[in-house]
Amino acid sequence: MTASSTPRPAHYWLMKSEPDECSIDDALAAPGATVPWTGVRNYQARNFMRDAMQVGDGVLFYHSSCPEPGIAGLARVASTTRPDPTQFDPASPYYDPKSPPDAPRWLLLDVQAVRKTRLMPLAELRERPELADMRVLQKGSRLSITPVDAAHWDRIVALLDGGG
């Protein structure tokens, strides 16, 4: 097997969505259970999408800015990036008048919901010493997209599936 045909190890991500904008239920109800991940307006999160995320990567679908934030489902990256049209729409809360259509600043990709899980609240994540170094748990972490280590992914999925 040549180096170019060696499969890339899976990458995993935590992606935050406000459930009143797009919940795991909304994603599951969408055609093909797939939604465009619009509204990313942070350069680091955008760069994760552009430079590191690939079709098939695992996603922890996280509800944020709600009474009980936490992981609400599992998803996967379903497309490569393309310009986010909300940056050009003056009626959108994500409008960016400084983003020219011929050189857009902001990107989106499609996320396909795989399944809804029980809610794993932020408080439960914080209680688990083996998850203590997850980026979402770091003081001051506000990014809407963060990488997740394979060990953290495996542990969270096991906990969501009822393993202790």
Side-chain angles (χ1 to χ4, degrees), residues 11-151:
H11 287 110
Y12 305 100
W13 305 92
L14 183 140
M15 298 179 74
K16 294 179 181 177
S17 179
E18 296 179 14
D20 60 344
E21 285 194 27
C22 183
S23 69
I24 188 67
D25 292 324
D26 295 332
L28 285 166
T34 302
V35 292
W37 208 263
T38 60
V40 173
R41 296 298 182 268
N42 173 282
Y43 287 106
Q44 188 174 8
R46 182 218 47 202
N47 293 349
F48 284 143
M49 287 194 304
R50 183 189 67 200
D51 302 334
M53 297 174 86
Q54 295 187 12
V55 173
D57 284 355
V59 172
L60 298 172
F61 199 111
Y62 185 96
H63 286 172
S64 67
S65 299
C66 57
E68 191 166 28
I71 297 166
L74 300 178
R76 69 176 197 90
V77 175
S79 76
T80 57
T81 58
R82 62 187 181 277
D84 181 345
T86 64
Q87 68 193 306
F88 308 122
D89 179 359
S92 170
Y94 301 113
Y95 177 59
D96 182 352
K98 295 181 181 175
S99 182
D102 60 338
R105 286 184 187 182
W106 307 112
L107 304 171
L108 65 78
L109 48 70
D110 293 326
V111 173
Q112 182 179 42
V114 173
R115 67 182 167 103
K116 184 175 180 173
T117 64
R118 72 172 178 85
L119 183 70
M120 180 178 280
L122 181 61
E124 181 180 345
L125 293 170
R126 290 193 188 286
E127 291 170 1
R128 301 259 173 207
E130 69 273 28
L131 302 177
D133 57 345
M134 281 186 72
R135 283 206 197 179
V136 72
L137 301 178
Q138 302 310 304
K139 188 173 182 87
S141 175
R142 295 184 43 94
L143 281 179
S144 62
I145 299 172
T146 54
V148 173
D149 293 340

